[in-house]
Amino acid sequence: MELEEVMRQKTFAVVGNTLEEDKYAYKIKHALMGSGYIVHSVSKELSSLNDIEGEVDIVDMCINPPAGLALLKESKKRPKCVVLQPGAESEEIKEYLA
């Protein structure tokens, strides 16, 4: 999915430390919220994508690859796209998502 299409979606789940201002996930969460998106925070606020009521369009991963892969594998949610931020990507995640 191209970035323009990602940004046309409405509901995002940001996975990572969204509570500390110096963390990338925090910055992404607040930028999305400031632009009017519905944003759910997973890792420090919600423990699982499954804790989100309703559908999730985009999952934005800002978490270490082993934790991210485990979270994706246990999830019953089927987002339209998973964005892997620098440091969150791995071959295992890419293969799982393929």
Side-chain angles (χ1 to χ4, degrees):
M1 182 179 285
E2 295 294 324
L3 181 58
E4 290 174 359
E5 188 175 349
V6 167
M7 299 314 295
R8 282 195 297 267
Q9 305 307 310
K10 302 292 182 215
T11 306
F12 286 72
V14 178
V15 180
N17 187 341
T18 56
L19 298 177
E20 294 182 39
E21 291 183 24
D22 63 327
K23 299 295 183 179
Y24 201 46
Y26 177 96
K27 294 173 185 177
I28 291 171
K29 171 189 172 181
H30 289 276
L32 288 168
M33 289 172 50
S35 295
Y37 294 98
I38 298 166
V39 182
H40 303 279
S41 303
V42 178
S43 181
K44 297 288 183 180
E45 296 178 58
L46 298 172
S47 61
S48 169
L49 292 168
N50 296 325
D51 293 339
I52 299 169
E53 290 190 31
E55 297 300 315
V56 174
D57 297 318
I58 306 296
V59 174
D60 194 329
M61 304 290 286
C62 304
I63 194 168
N64 69 67
L69 181 59
L71 185 128
L72 290 171
K73 284 185 173 181
E74 64 90 28
S75 177
K76 295 177 182 151
K77 302 284 181 185
R78 296 294 169 238
K80 296 175 184 173
C81 180
V82 175
V83 176
L84 299 172
Q85 297 294 342
E89 74 276 12
S90 72
E91 288 306 313
E92 292 83 8
I93 291 176
K94 291 175 187 177
E95 288 173 13
Y96 179 76
L97 293 172

